[in-house]
Amino acid sequence: MFAGLLGIEGLDRRVIEAILDRAKDFQAVPGQPLKRLDALRGRMMVNLFFEASTRTRTSFEIAAKRLGADTISITAAGSSVSKGESLVDTLNTLGAMHPDVIVMRHAASGAPHFLARHLPVPIVNAGDGTHEHPTQALLDARTILDRTGKLEGLHVAIIGDIAHSRVARSNVHLLSKFGAKIVLCGPASLLPKQLAEMAPGVTLTTDMKQAIKGADVVMMLRVQLERIHEPASPAGEYFAFYGLRLEHLQLARPDAIVMHPGPINRGRELSSEVADSQRSVILNQVENGIAVRMAVLERILSQ
Ligand code: ASP
């Protein structure tokens, strides 16, 4: 039974492997038209986004459409949430419209879990506060596999605002299930010590060069200014200590790849030379977002 997708933490490794394998079938093949399927014809996906999104919201919509489903997108700003409607009332209203799946993003950690308890509809977590972003970790894993062919034993450096990153958490859960060595790195104020206990194979450092040394994958994270309530350091100052530049990559493996979930901030988390280099797989991540989300929706809706 795959009732929905709330997080990676409780997901069986075999289910992850099945999603990643199926996503491969949905990847674009150069020179061939994109596959369009009828598998989900007549099914309705509701995208319910209470936080900003470009990639996740759009790619869920494209994924559902490519499988033949109908979609509607609701954003907090354009909905009755902005007129003071409570989350429960919004959810009951949506429930009465009988969607087949709801994809939800919310600033509160646990909001999709609340929704899942409340409505008899499969829920996909598209990012809840600082907690999890499961489809991001799945598309990241698909992208790493496309380049390296394996996850086992890889050295993955995750650098930036670890404290507030749902992307970091979901990636740690996923990669540790596959025996990767994960180094979490960032300024001490954004690197809570308890994260080392989150999963086997996780170490922490505030030294960016140490984190990158010998890395197969360098995953940069955005500073989550919307979740930080004290004045943050200016972009240039942050970049001086934790911004990825080409010279850092000389410390990594010669075939190391650079990832970022987006949106990227050039001159804060990474330089333009890195973002636009051959090492960057940032746009491959975006592309895989569609394939992975197709695999997730198909798995949920074709039961
Ligand atoms: N797009 C990702 C997320 O929603 C990463 C980010 O916003 O920094 O978590």
Side-chain angles (χ1 to χ4, degrees):
M1 180 66 183
F2 190 67
L5 178 61
L6 296 176
I8 297 291
E9 187 175 6
L11 212 57
D12 195 87
R13 178 178 160 151
R14 277 165 310 178
V15 174
I16 297 174
E17 281 165 344
I19 294 170
L20 296 176
D21 279 353
R22 184 61 175 145
K24 209 157 176 43
D25 298 332
F26 295 130
Q27 286 177 328
V29 179
Q32 282 183 28
L34 283 175
K35 262 189 215 146
R36 286 190 166 274
L37 303 169
D38 257 355
L40 303 185
R41 178 169 295 278
R43 316 302 294 276
M44 167 65 76
M45 180 192 80
V46 171
N47 253 342
L48 182 59
F49 276 63
F50 292 93
E51 269 195 336
S53 172
T54 304
R55 281 148 287 269
T56 307
R57 189 163 60 84
T58 316
S59 64
F60 265 112
E61 204 163 323
I62 295 172
K65 289 199 159 105
R66 276 183 55 197
L67 290 168
D70 299 316
T71 67
I72 34 166
S73 279
I74 301 168
T75 54
S79 73
S80 289
V81 173
S82 66
K83 298 183 185 170
E85 188 173 67
S86 73
L87 184 55
V88 173
D89 287 328
T90 304
L91 301 185
N92 284 333
T93 305
L94 288 175
M97 296 177 191
H98 302 291
D100 295 292
V101 61
I102 298 179
V103 177
M104 184 199 204
R105 169 169 289 186
H106 201 281
S109 301
H113 306 69
F114 171 77
L115 181 60
R117 283 196 299 276
H118 207 81
L119 287 183
V121 178
I123 308 297
V124 181
N125 179 2
D128 63 324
T130 59
H131 179 225
E132 279 230 40
H133 192 350
T135 54
Q136 179 71 46
L138 289 166
L139 73 89
D140 289 341
R142 184 62 270 161
T143 308
I144 297 171
L145 283 170
D146 290 345
R147 285 295 179 109
T148 65
K150 59 165 191 176
L151 298 174
E152 285 84 358
L154 287 188
H155 169 167
V156 182
I158 306 182
I159 301 170
D161 178 1
I162 309 288
H164 303 102
S165 178
R166 52 199 180 202
V167 174
R169 275 175 189 72
S170 287
N171 265 292
V172 167
H173 287 307
L174 191 152
L175 293 166
S176 67
K177 287 181 203 278
F178 288 85
K181 217 176 91 197
I182 306 153
V183 185
L184 300 177
C185 171
S189 59
L190 299 177
L191 190 67
K193 290 208 175 55
Q194 339 45 299
L195 286 180
E197 285 139 40
M198 213 176 130
V202 179
T203 54
L204 309 186
T205 177
T206 53
D207 180 343
M208 187 165 166
K209 289 187 178 149
Q210 192 186 319
I212 295 175
K213 205 160 168 226
D216 299 284
V217 176
V218 181
M219 186 182 290
M220 302 306 293
L221 299 174
R222 184 176 66 86
V223 181
Q224 307 275 296
L225 292 173
E226 70 275 34
R227 301 183 216 287
I228 300 178
H229 304 298
E230 306 86 63
S233 36
E237 195 178 298
Y238 181 88
F239 182 74
F241 289 97
Y242 292 101
L244 188 66
R245 296 180 289 277
L246 279 180
E247 66 258 28
H248 288 124
L249 292 178
Q250 285 164 11
L251 300 166
R253 302 268 309 220
D255 51 356
I257 55 172
V258 175
M259 309 181 78
H260 192 304
I264 62 172
N265 285 291
R266 294 165 188 259
R268 187 189 284 268
E269 299 112 39
L270 74 181
S271 69
S272 275
E273 290 76 19
V274 170
D276 302 328
S277 74
Q278 293 293 319
R279 302 287 197 94
S280 163
V281 294
I282 296 171
L283 293 178
N284 305 73
Q285 290 172 266
V286 176
E287 226 182 317
N288 275 332
I290 297 174
V292 158
R293 288 172 178 130
M294 285 176 80
V296 167
L297 291 174
E298 180 192 59
R299 199 174 169 98
I300 292 172
L301 290 176
S302 56
Q303 306 206 38

